[in-house]
Amino acid sequence: MRPPVPTYAHAWTALVLTAIAGAVDGAGFLSLSQQFVANQTGNAVLLAVAVSGEMTGREDGLSPVGPLWSLLGFSLGAVLASLATRRHVLTSFGVPLLLLVEVVMLGLAGLAQGFELAIALAAFAMGVQSIHAARIGLSGVSTTVLTGTLIALFVNLSGGRRGLRSGRLQAGVWAVYLVAAGLGSALAHAVSFSAVCWTAAAVAAAMSVAAFAEAHRHPSL
């Protein structure tokens, strides 16, 4: 069975969520000792390299603390969001509520004073966002980890007209992530990591309002 072609609304949702993840990831990498809060594949590599350095006595300046906090925060956010929106407890407002949780977590990350807490809170928000993207059916698109999206893009390039329509979204997601990561790092350098978190939270809040309005119009969806 072929994956569904993304709708116009879902395409825009994917692009905006990816922009949020890219901006927060770029800002976090620059401001939080080169730690990722959305890209957990990168954190797995950083953690493995740091642990191997600890075990072999190699001094490369890497610490496992940051990647661990990020992985734990992301995992906790994803697990709780997944459990909260299981099919048998899901309501029409359950999925939009995830965006509201993301807003709160990003806002708290911007207020956090401690390095580890800021990483964990921002990563928690990205874990929640990942489940939100999955629950609304963004087939072939992950808004926080883009390797799978890149693979899906290459597969869709040979999939005819239907595949090309999905491929355009996947290519757009990649481009948006790159641009947003650059802008996020620039804003973090010029202002602060907090400014990026609060800007991302404001965007997520606007999306949450739109999602609740849509759920109210179509309560059975």
Side-chain angles (χ1 to χ4, degrees), residues 21 38-42 74 130 141-150 177:
N39 178 14
Q40 296 305 320
T41 303
F74 187 96
S130 294
V141 173
S142 169
T143 63
T144 53
V145 182
L146 299 187
T147 303
T149 301
L150 185 62
Y177 185 91

Side-chain angles (χ1 to χ4, degrees), residues 77-112:
V79 167
L80 292 179
S82 181
L83 291 174
T85 54
R86 286 176 297 178
R87 184 171 299 275
H88 66 278
V89 297
L90 184 62
T91 69
S92 59
F93 296 104
V95 173
L97 186 62
L98 295 183
L99 284 173
L100 192 57
V101 173
E102 180 176 355
V103 170
V104 173
M105 291 298 107
L106 286 172
L108 291 175
L111 291 172

Side-chain angles (χ1 to χ4, degrees), residues 8 10-11 19 21 28 31 60 64 96-98 100 117 163 179 189 206-207 210:
Y8 181 81
H10 280 188
S31 304
D60 47 23
L97 186 62
L98 295 183
L100 192 57
L117 183 58
V179 172
H189 177 72
M207 292 183 67

Side-chain angles (χ1 to χ4, degrees), residues 1-181:
M1 182 177 178
R2 292 179 298 182
V5 175
T7 66
Y8 181 81
H10 280 188
W12 274 106
T13 299
L15 292 173
V16 176
L17 289 177
T18 301
I20 290 174
V24 176
D25 233 5
F29 190 80
L30 187 69
S31 304
L32 302 176
S33 299
Q34 298 185 332
Q35 309 300 323
F36 296 106
V37 295
N39 178 14
Q40 296 305 320
T41 303
N43 270 330
V45 174
L46 291 175
L47 178 60
V49 173
V51 170
S52 72
E54 296 272 346
M55 295 177 64
T56 60
R58 186 181 69 243
E59 296 191 10
D60 47 23
L62 293 176
S63 168
V65 175
L68 273 175
W69 276 102
S70 185
L71 284 163
L72 288 172
F74 187 96
S75 299
L76 182 60
V79 167
L80 292 179
S82 181
L83 291 174
T85 54
R86 286 176 297 178
R87 184 171 299 275
H88 66 278
V89 297
L90 184 62
T91 69
S92 59
F93 296 104
V95 173
L97 186 62
L98 295 183
L99 284 173
L100 192 57
V101 173
E102 180 176 355
V103 170
V104 173
M105 291 298 107
L106 286 172
L108 291 175
L111 291 172
Q113 298 298 314
F115 162 78
E116 297 88 352
L117 183 58
I119 292 175
L121 289 171
F124 187 103
M126 293 300 98
V128 171
Q129 176 177 300
S130 294
I131 299 301
H132 175 264
R135 291 300 195 217
I136 64 174
L138 294 177
S139 179
V141 173
S142 169
T143 63
T144 53
V145 182
L146 299 187
T147 303
T149 301
L150 185 62
I151 293 171
L153 167 61
F154 294 147
V155 170
N156 282 322
L157 288 179
S158 60
R161 182 178 299 177
R162 185 185 183 92
L164 289 176
R165 287 180 62 189
S166 294
R168 283 198 297 269
L169 173 60
Q170 289 145 0
V173 163
W174 253 94
V176 165
Y177 185 91
L178 290 174
V179 172

